[in-house]
Amino acid sequence: MFETALQREVEALTQQLLASAGAYFRQDPGQVVVKFDLTGKAAGMALFPHRATPVIRYNALLLTENRVDFLKRTVPHEVAHIVARRLFGRRIKPHGPEWRQVMQLFGAEASRCHNYDVSRSTRRRLQRFAYRCDCRNHELSSIRHNRVLQGQTYLCVNCKQPLVQSCE
Ligand SMILES: [Zn+2]
Ligand SMILES: [Zn+2]
């Protein structure tokens, strides 16, 4: 598939972060396959197929719409998953101390959640933000999302747990 200049930049940054982690930890970080085929609310996703090269899938639309934050946050976030898994094994928690350690090395904020508007990537007309509780996914309007940023809590009517922003 044809790659844009921005996608080539993301690909290069991915490989660069991977190499710098390998140098820092003095261990071969392995290879990663980069794709731009992710759609929906997630900005990126790290996959570990059995006996195959790990894959990072990036969301091409969210990349175009959030260029700066994507390079600063989503790319290191996903590469840190690859590195942490390679170095510390499959039993670690996805966003646990090993992953945070790699994020620290990358100088990236170790947050699970992005703040991107997912309205176009989910084909909604209104701006929506991805949230979740203990039982399912939710979408909040920008009004409610802004209230959450100001400290308001919304509870899931089903499981009664607070809604937190979704991740990746
Ligand atoms: Zn719930
Ligand atoms: Zn993650």
Side-chain angles (χ1 to χ4, degrees), residues 96-115:
E98 300 85 3
W99 174 80
R100 286 201 300 272
Q101 185 187 343
V102 182
M103 288 297 272
Q104 200 169 24
L105 168 69
F106 292 160
E109 189 200 337
S111 67
R112 296 178 59 203
C113 303
H114 68 70
N115 231 340

Side-chain angles (χ1 to χ4, degrees), residues 39-96:
T39 57
K41 296 167 201 166
M45 188 181 279
L47 300 167
F48 303 92
H50 187 58
R51 289 173 191 273
T53 309
V55 178
I56 296 179
R57 299 176 64 197
Y58 291 117
N59 188 317
L61 180 59
L62 289 178
L63 166 62
T64 319
E65 293 180 346
N66 304 277
R67 178 187 187 121
V68 174
D69 281 352
F70 205 101
L71 290 164
K72 206 167 66 183
R73 142 174 218 298
T74 298
V75 177
H77 182 121
E78 302 309 332
V79 176
H81 279 311
I82 303 289
V83 172
R85 170 81 168 233
R86 172 90 184 183
L87 263 54
F88 304 104
R90 65 165 74 190
R91 308 183 94 141
I92 58 169
K93 284 187 179 163
H95 302 100

Side-chain angles (χ1 to χ4, degrees), residues 19-52:
S20 71
Y24 179 84
F25 291 106
R26 295 166 186 261
Q27 205 169 320
D28 178 11
Q31 307 279 314
V32 65
V33 174
V34 175
K35 295 181 178 179
F36 295 92
D37 61 349
L38 194 61
T39 57
K41 296 167 201 166
M45 188 181 279
L47 300 167
F48 303 92
H50 187 58
R51 289 173 191 273

Side-chain angles (χ1 to χ4, degrees), residues 133-136 138 156 158-160:
C133 57
D134 282 353
C135 75
R136 65 184 185 91
H138 298 259
C156 171
N158 186 34
C159 71
K160 316 290 183 217

